[in-house]
Amino acid sequence: MDHFLYRDGNLHAEDVAIADIAAQVGAPFYVYSSATLTRHFRLFDEALDWADHLVCYAMKANSNQAVLKLLGDLGAGMDVVSGGEYMRAKAAGIPGERIVFSGVGKTRAEMRLALEGGIRQFNIESEPEMQALSEVASSMGVTVPVTIRVNPDVDAKTHEKIATGKSENKFGIPISRAKEVYAAAAALPGLEVIGIDVHIGSQLTQLEPFGQAFEKVAELTKLLRAEGHDIRRLDLGGGLGIPYERSNDAPPLPQEFGQLAQDKVGHLGCEIEIEPGRLIAGNAGLLVSEVIYVKEGADRQFMIIDAAMNDLIRPAMYGAYHDIVPVIEPAAGVEQVKYDIVGPICESGDTFAKQRMMPPVAAGDLVAFRSAGAYGAVMASEYNSRPLIPEVLVHEDQFAVIRERPTFDEMINRDTIPSWL
Ligand SMILES: *Cc1c(COP(=O)(O)O)cnc(C)c1O
């Protein structure tokens, strides 16, 4: 569920008309709903009511400071995957004891940064990383709580570029080797082994792969406890999918995910962490764009809009589907037309949708991409020297620009010309 509905023929974000934001900010832009972000966080939080728990928002999905502050104020922790994300979380006021550090390639500098600023736990992904963290922590005279990310070799049944839980993926240690890796970790100074971490992929639309992974984690918990490890925290990762195509079956709800987790690992008495990203932010955002031209091709109509693959790369990168709707509600019974919806970038990959049925639009009309709040703005670039587009946050009848569009001068002045040129 989201808070983007037509009212009096105009698409709104909560109580604000999208057209009013466009008039002030200029297209294209991202707009997020506070109410949707809040609702989605709470759904996960309530789904884990059965355990001592922390919902660590995977901030790579949308790491705007205002989004982090909003979620942090609700009690969210953060799952970070880089030094930059760690600094962003701290800048938004998230205390170190609510930040977990994930990622396959943490550098020593990133480890030091987090150990200095405070960290809840590191999720370790390999033996060399474990060694490095032990050395860094020891050299600073601290001991840091760690979990080890296991790769359960489970098919997440999602897009291959975002599946992370099969043995051929780069993530985690093979679960079959967990016993010896945990023994090695326990022997290292500076590390306190407290739990197990698993994350099998993103945009999962079925519960079954989660169930398989959680069962393996439960078995491993018992095995490691028998080996003398005090396993008391389970990080069950993120990955729950969202309905990008409204006509398709809806993916499982956070409540069902929480129930599954309780069924599979509830009896172990562990503290539970989860790391949802997409489900919290995805349907909390729209990308709003203006139609520049409608052009007649040899055998098709192109809708050329002012947003492009640099603003939202998911269609080009994953062949992802986004619902695209007119901002002015089409009249009932209007005949739909087929468009190839494309951006202005000089690549054929800059295509958002092919042969998409839509109500007819004209140059100057606004269209909105639904489900664009996650992996949208954060994956944007300035390719073709197109400025990063603004982000706007709505709260009831108010809205605020939470990231400005840079000026051309700001973009150009990031480069420097050496004195010898
Ligand atoms: C990307 C990622 C997540 C979040 O995945 P979503 O599909 O956005 O919920 C959680 N944990 C880790 C380790 C990740 O890499």
Side-chain angles (χ1 to χ4, degrees):
M1 201 205 106
D2 63 37
H3 295 78
F4 302 107
L5 298 170
Y6 288 109
R7 268 199 227 165
D8 308 323
N10 284 288
L11 188 63
H12 279 63
E14 302 187 24
D15 301 330
V16 180
I18 297 295
D20 290 347
I21 304 175
Q24 189 168 319
V25 176
F29 60 88
Y30 280 101
V31 54
Y32 311 127
S33 156
S34 308
T36 311
L37 289 165
T38 301
R39 178 184 145 82
H40 290 166
F41 171 77
R42 292 213 169 116
L43 286 176
F44 276 115
D45 202 28
E46 285 159 16
L48 296 181
D49 264 349
W50 50 273
D52 185 9
H53 68 271
L54 184 65
V55 178
C56 294
Y57 168 61
M59 60 177 275
K60 71 175 194 274
N62 183 327
S63 55
N64 187 288
Q65 286 288 289
V67 171
L68 302 187
K69 169 82 166 53
L70 183 155
L71 293 171
D73 286 353
L74 296 172
M78 296 290 150
D79 175 50
V80 308
V81 292
S82 71
E85 284 197 349
Y86 178 83
M87 295 307 282
R88 274 187 175 273
K90 289 301 292 273
I94 315 297
E97 67 261 25
R98 281 200 260 141
I99 303 177
V100 305
F101 207 134
S102 299
V104 288
K106 304 173 199 81
T107 65
R108 285 166 194 257
E110 288 174 322
M111 292 170 180
R112 218 167 285 121
L113 194 70
L115 289 171
E116 275 162 10
I119 190 84
R120 176 181 182 82
Q121 105 219 2
F122 277 87
N123 294 334
I124 290 180
E125 298 230 10
S126 68
E127 288 157 288
E129 186 198 351
M130 186 167 100
Q131 189 67 44
L133 183 61
S134 166
E135 286 167 20
V136 174
S138 302
S139 75
M140 295 171 67
V142 297
T143 295
V144 61
V146 299
T147 71
I148 297 177
R149 178 168 177 182
V150 293
N151 184 323
D153 196 19
V154 163
D155 182 355
K157 304 206 170 82
T158 184
H159 191 284
E160 60 170 329
K161 287 188 185 168
I162 49 176
T164 61
K166 285 289 282 174
S167 57
E168 68 259 31
N169 301 133
K170 67 183 175 183
F171 301 95
I173 59 151
I175 197 161
S176 54
R177 293 199 47 236
K179 190 170 140 181
E180 53 189 289
V181 177
Y182 270 83
L188 285 173
L191 307 184
E192 186 191 8
V193 178
I194 61 159
I196 304 171
D197 171 42
V198 73
H199 170 74
I200 57 174
S202 195
Q203 186 52 19
L204 272 70
T205 53
Q206 298 167 35
L207 280 183
E208 193 212 339
F210 288 117
Q212 289 171 17
F214 297 170
E215 261 170 38
K216 291 193 178 194
V217 167
E219 274 167 39
L220 182 62
T221 303
K222 287 180 201 147
L223 181 137
L224 293 174
R225 281 178 171 170
E227 293 287 310
H229 301 283
D230 181 13
I231 301 299
R232 54 191 186 274
R233 183 181 290 169
L234 301 179
D235 183 333
L236 300 177
L240 200 56
I242 62 172
Y244 283 99
E245 267 182 271
R246 262 133 233 266
S247 50
N248 284 7
D249 286 347
L253 302 171
Q255 188 56 44
E256 299 170 270
F257 176 89
Q259 183 64 52
L260 177 80
Q262 181 176 19
D263 293 347
K264 300 295 184 190
V265 303
H267 60 287
L268 298 165
C270 288
E271 182 185 358
I272 303 295
E273 286 168 1
I274 55 170
E275 304 168 343
R278 190 187 306 270
L279 203 149
I280 289 181
N283 281 335
L286 302 179
L287 165 62
V288 180
S289 180
E290 185 175 319
V291 179
I292 312 176
Y293 300 113
V294 176
K295 157 171 155 172
E296 292 294 335
D299 61 349
R300 62 192 65 215
Q301 282 206 88
F302 293 100
M303 183 198 301
I304 304 171
I305 61 176
D306 65 0
M309 64 190 283
N310 70 299
D311 303 309
L312 177 68
I313 205 171
R314 300 189 65 260
M317 189 145 92
Y318 312 119
Y321 180 99
H322 283 268
D323 247 356
I324 304 170
V325 299
V327 165
I328 303 293
E329 188 172 24
V334 71
E335 199 154 326
Q336 304 229 334
V337 203
K338 241 185 230 168
Y339 292 110
D340 277 19
I341 303 171
V342 301
I345 283 184
C346 313
E347 301 208 16
S348 296
D350 187 22
T351 298
F352 291 115
K354 284 196 166 152
Q355 300 294 288
R356 177 73 62 92
M357 294 300 289
M358 268 192 63
V361 295
D365 287 355
L366 294 170
V367 294
F369 289 64
R370 292 192 182 271
S371 313
Y375 306 106
V378 286
M379 291 178 109
S381 75
E382 288 182 343
Y383 185 40
N384 278 211
S385 286
R386 295 166 47 82
L388 288 180
I389 67 178
E391 293 175 275
V392 174
L393 183 65
V394 170
H395 172 60
E396 298 174 354
D397 61 355
Q398 319 172 45
F399 71 91
V401 175
I402 56 173
R403 190 178 66 195
E404 299 271 359
R405 180 186 280 109
T407 64
F408 290 131
D409 275 346
E410 282 164 349
M411 290 166 63
I412 295 162
N413 290 334
R414 279 189 224 127
D415 300 354
T416 45
I417 297 177
S419 59
W420 40 262
L421 254 189

